């Protein structure tokens, strides 16, 4: 997509790929386009991957994950014809002017198209200022964002659309390893003046230098290591040891029951295309196995094992449903974007008595009366994730314990985006809004607080899941060591 009306400048020194969302050097349509541009213009290709200090919910945890990814990219790019420029802001505002300085020497610029609001706004603001053509390219998923023109209200309706249209897009996959034997002129433009003002990120193995940076929110790094290499390893481990049991175990709260790829997908360290390719290769799939069904049914469309079908339904239908909503529904993060039936029923029950009420600080510190919820929140705080099923329960209980669904919404957004490594994603909002009724239907019986929005309880969860190991790891013994009696007093109950 053309982002501005400025021309290509063939007299300038290089083509620039300004990497903002798809932080990887493989399976990436934007990188493919940048290479195509560089070849046509016979120019070197420079990739700028920059990280500011003041992005929404910025923290040491998110920074560390992105910087680990940068180290992998630097290693990957070093022996190739591509020049890679990783930059991490040391003080707020320091990055200002970097893109402009590079663009003054760029023949053309390619960037990532993203439905994530702050990235979209950043690209639009840059486009208006640049005197050289800026194109954004969509490498978010399998179905291009522009292939639909509306937001789909349910997974069923979106799946029907996928069943009608995805086939043709499957053939147009990005190049798996575009840097392999890449032949382009080497960068001979001297970046010294630019790099003196905006020094390359040091990217040593310890990343100790990140300790010097100041963040508004104090969130320590999680143990999950960022980067394309880790993402590939995790994908391999999952397809070899987890996928067969996925349909049966995806709700269970153990480490190996799901892929744990969402953070890598969020930062673009791995692409949906690469995951799909590996799953389909493992299933010895070919396009003739794709069924002609267009009824929106979950089973039997790909023509592969039930476990792989179940996994692809999450990766393709559910993940891309969220991207579709962000791209096509204005104000998709506002409470009012809920379906009418959900708004009506939640409002009708907004003044119902709440047996338990917790403020954000009590939720943040796992200080509720519910040991399962506290454990999930503790894992979120420490590891930056909550397993699939418990994440739904986590949201439902916040709805139950908040003065108003609007307050529940803002608490969920704050806690999820502050701690989750996959937070701030279109699917952060689809998951959080699902808690309040998006993509769902009314369920009886009508209950206090929830109305006809789907209800979930910790008692049922305890019956449904084997939580013993989970609670041993994240449960109350864990809390005793960490939370002082004084903090417990802050618990707000009514
Ligand atoms: C309250 C709440 C908040 C959530 N916040 C986020 C978030 O911040 N970021 C995020 O990516 N997902 C979010 N989800 C959706 C889902 O919980 C995670 O995608 C999933 O737990 C990630 O774990 P995994 O990678 O092991 O998933 P797997 O089960 O291995 O699934 C593979 C991939 O499919 C996609 N996927 C799986 N489940 C869903 C789903 N329900 N909706 C959309 N995509 C899905 C993800 O990209 C995931 O990586 C949220 C759900 C809820 C209920």
């Amino acid at each position: 997509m053309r982002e501005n009306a400025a021309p290509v400048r063939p007299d300038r020194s290089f083509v620039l790929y300004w990497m903002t969302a798809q932080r990887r050097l493989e399976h990436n349509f934007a990188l493919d386009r940048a290479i195509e541009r560089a070849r046509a213009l016979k120019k070197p290709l420079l990739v700028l991957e920059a990280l500011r200090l003041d992005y929404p919910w910025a923290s040491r945890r998110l920074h560390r994950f992105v910087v680990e990814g940068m180290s992998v990219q630097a290693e990957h790019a070093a022996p190739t014809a591509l020049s890679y420029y990783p930059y991490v802001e040391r003080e707020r505002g320091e990055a200002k002017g970097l893109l402009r300085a590079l663009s003054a020497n760029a023949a053309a610029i390619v960037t990532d198209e993203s439905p994530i609001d702050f990235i979209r706004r950043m690209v639009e603001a840059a486009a208006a200022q640049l005197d050289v053509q800026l194109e954004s390219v969509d490498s978010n998923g399998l179905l291009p964002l522009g292939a639909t023109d509306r937001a789909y209200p349910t997974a069923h309706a979106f799946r029907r659309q996928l069943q009608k249209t995805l086939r043709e897009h499957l053939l147009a996959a990005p190049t798996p390893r575009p840097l392999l034997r890449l032949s382009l002129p080497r960068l001979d433009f001297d970046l010294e003046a630019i790099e003196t003002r905006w020094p390359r990120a040091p990217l040593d193995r310890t990343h100790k230098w990140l300790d010097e940076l100041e963040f508004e929110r104090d969130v320590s790094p999680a143990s999950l290591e960022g980067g394309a290499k880790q993402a590939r390893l995790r994908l391999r481990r999952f397809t070899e040891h987890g996928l067969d049991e996925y349909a049966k175990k995806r709700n269970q709260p153990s480490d190996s029951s799901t892929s744990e790829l969402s953070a890598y997908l969020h930062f673009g360290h791995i692409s949906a295309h690469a995951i799909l390719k590996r799953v389909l290769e493992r299933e010895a799939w070919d396009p003739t196995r794709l069924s002609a069904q267009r009824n929106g049914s979950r089973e039997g469309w790909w023509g592969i094992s039930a476990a792989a079908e179940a996994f692809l339904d999450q990766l393709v239908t559910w993940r891309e449903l969220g991207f579709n909503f962000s791209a096509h529904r204005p104000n998709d993060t506002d409470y009012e974007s809920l379906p009418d039936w959900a708004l009506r029923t939640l409002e009708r029950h907004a003044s119902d008595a709440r047996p338990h009420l917790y403020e954000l600080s009590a939720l943040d510190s796992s200080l509720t009366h519910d040991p399962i919820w506290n454990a999930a929140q503790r894992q979120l705080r420490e590891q930056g994730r909550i397993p699939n099923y418990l994440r739904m329960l986590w949201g439902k209980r916040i709805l139950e314990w908040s003065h108003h669904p609007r307050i529940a919404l803002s608490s969920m957004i704050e806690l999820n985006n502050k701690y989750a490594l996959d937070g701030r994603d279109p699917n952060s909002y689809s998951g959080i809004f699902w808690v309040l009724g998006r993509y769902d239907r009314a369920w009886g019986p009508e209950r206090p607080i929830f109305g006809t929005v789907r209800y979930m309880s910790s008692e049922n969860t305890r019956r449904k899941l084997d939580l013993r190991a989970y609670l041993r790891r994240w449960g109350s013994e864990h809390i005793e060591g960490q939370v002082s009696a004084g903090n417990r007093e802050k618990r707000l109950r009514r």
Side-chain angles (χ1 to χ4, degrees):
M1 177 164 61
R2 267 295 277 277
E3 293 285 349
N4 61 4
V8 171
R9 306 267 183 190
D11 52 317
R12 294 189 179 169
S13 304
F14 50 80
V15 167
L16 179 67
Y17 171 23
W18 175 31
M19 184 182 267
T20 57
Q22 307 305 332
R23 298 173 180 269
R24 62 178 178 273
L25 297 172
E26 50 198 16
H27 294 276
N28 182 345
F29 283 123
L31 176 59
D32 283 353
R33 174 64 179 152
I35 290 173
E36 183 186 40
R37 275 264 139 135
R39 280 202 182 113
L41 291 161
K42 300 190 174 48
K43 301 284 176 193
L45 175 59
L46 175 65
V47 176
L48 168 68
E49 183 177 3
L51 189 60
R52 288 180 4 199
L53 263 174
D54 60 351
Y55 54 85
W57 289 280
S59 69
R60 218 170 293 290
R61 173 171 296 178
L62 301 183
H63 245 61
R64 172 78 178 241
F65 198 82
V66 174
V67 167
E68 283 164 348
M70 287 178 167
S71 296
V72 176
Q73 314 247 64
E75 253 175 56
H76 185 168
T80 74
L82 174 146
S83 299
Y84 174 66
Y85 181 1
Y87 168 75
V88 177
E89 209 175 46
R90 296 163 304 176
E91 279 168 21
R92 264 180 200 78
E94 186 196 64
K96 206 164 182 296
L98 170 58
L99 182 67
R100 183 89 77 96
L102 286 171
S103 73
N105 305 289
I109 308 183
V110 176
T111 192
D112 300 316
E113 181 181 345
S114 172
I116 296 176
D117 193 46
F118 74 89
I119 297 181
R120 192 161 46 188
R121 279 189 280 116
M122 183 173 74
V123 169
E124 279 167 9
Q129 291 182 7
L130 298 174
D131 71 347
V132 54
Q133 193 178 102
L134 174 67
E135 269 180 297
S136 65
V137 177
D138 172 8
S139 208
N140 293 290
L142 303 173
L143 189 74
L145 298 175
T148 54
D149 56 6
R150 67 183 178 97
Y152 284 79
T154 62
H156 186 266
F158 186 61
R159 201 180 290 111
R160 280 181 60 168
Q161 176 65 15
L162 287 173
Q163 290 172 350
K164 275 189 227 154
T165 57
L166 191 61
R167 187 184 290 263
E168 60 181 292
H169 298 291
L170 290 178
L171 302 174
T175 314
R177 298 170 71 192
L179 304 200
L180 201 68
R181 290 187 285 279
L182 177 67
S183 161
L184 283 176
R186 293 278 170 167
L187 186 72
D188 57 4
F189 178 80
D190 188 358
L191 286 172
E192 196 184 329
I194 292 179
E195 287 190 24
T196 305
R197 175 136 180 228
W198 295 282
R200 271 169 196 268
L203 301 186
D204 56 10
R205 286 209 171 272
T206 65
H207 306 298
K208 272 260 168 247
W209 56 279
L210 288 177
D211 295 347
E212 309 292 313
L213 305 181
E214 280 181 22
F215 297 94
E216 217 169 277
R217 288 177 175 77
D218 185 17
V219 185
S220 53
S223 54
L224 196 71
E225 188 180 340
K229 206 152 123 192
Q230 286 302 327
R232 271 196 304 271
L233 287 174
R234 196 158 281 275
L235 173 61
R236 185 178 329 141
R237 200 184 68 191
F238 174 68
T239 49
E240 285 171 9
H241 304 292
L243 183 57
D244 283 338
E245 299 284 303
Y246 182 78
K248 236 186 289 160
K249 292 198 176 156
R250 70 173 292 269
N251 284 335
Q252 292 299 333
S254 72
D255 281 352
S256 56
S257 54
T258 66
S259 69
E260 280 188 61
L261 285 168
S262 57
Y264 299 100
L265 280 161
H266 169 67
F267 285 106
H269 290 168
I270 196 164
S271 74
H273 284 96
I275 302 174
L276 179 78
K277 185 168 181 287
R278 177 139 192 124
V279 170
L280 293 181
E281 278 169 5
R282 180 188 168 283
E283 296 282 315
W285 181 89
D286 71 72
T288 59
R289 288 171 63 181
L290 205 59
S291 138
Q293 85 188 28
R294 290 168 177 203
N295 56 6
S297 162
R298 203 170 28 191
E299 289 88 25
W301 184 52
W302 291 96
I304 50 181
S305 67
E309 293 260 0
F311 178 70
L312 291 189
D313 196 54
Q314 297 302 323
L315 176 76
V316 184
T317 309
W318 280 97
R319 177 171 181 273
E320 302 207 6
L321 178 63
F323 277 78
N324 160 269
F325 203 89
S326 283
H328 294 295
R329 168 72 206 233
N331 309 322
D332 62 303
T333 60
D334 291 354
Y335 178 66
E336 286 71 23
S337 70
L338 281 169
D340 289 344
W341 71 266
L343 282 174
R344 269 198 309 275
T345 195
L346 288 172
E347 287 305 314
R348 202 164 36 238
H349 290 273
S351 50
D352 291 355
R354 267 88 170 141
H356 302 280
L357 278 173
Y358 297 105
E359 293 194 341
L360 181 62
S361 59
L363 294 172
D364 193 325
S365 309
S366 297
L367 296 175
T368 79
H369 66 288
D370 178 344
I372 299 178
W373 193 91
N374 290 342
Q377 170 63 19
R378 199 167 294 117
Q379 186 189 14
L380 178 64
R381 232 177 24 245
E382 293 187 18
Q383 275 197 334
R385 71 177 295 259
I386 305 179
N388 286 343
Y389 190 89
L390 290 182
R391 204 168 192 176
M392 298 192 265
L393 177 73
W394 173 88
K396 292 286 181 185
R397 299 236 77 183
I398 295 179
L399 169 59
E400 198 176 340
W401 299 334
S402 302
H403 279 285
H404 189 278
R406 276 181 197 279
I407 296 176
L409 174 63
S410 75
S411 299
M412 283 189 278
I413 292 175
E414 175 59 24
L415 295 175
N416 189 78
N417 290 355
K418 176 179 175 187
Y419 291 117
L421 277 169
D422 62 7
R424 312 167 318 137
D425 190 81
N427 282 310
S428 312
Y429 295 94
S430 46
I432 288 168
F433 276 83
W434 172 87
V435 167
L436 304 172
R438 182 185 290 173
Y439 303 136
D440 212 352
R441 62 172 171 86
W443 292 81
E446 187 158 353
R447 296 171 188 273
I449 307 172
F450 286 78
T452 53
V453 166
R454 186 196 297 249
Y455 174 72
M456 285 173 73
S457 74
S458 296
E459 293 69 39
N460 276 343
T461 304
R462 203 184 274 281
R463 277 193 287 274
K464 197 176 156 98
L465 306 185
D466 181 357
L467 288 169
R468 282 168 302 183
Y470 188 78
L471 290 176
R472 263 199 309 280
R473 181 155 182 208
W474 300 108
S476 58
E477 302 85 72
H478 194 96
I479 205 176
E480 299 300 340
Q482 299 198 4
V483 179
S484 69
N487 270 345
R488 273 163 201 269
E489 298 290 323
K490 289 190 196 144
R491 190 159 77 175
L492 292 172
R493 290 180 68 169
R494 201 164 73 174

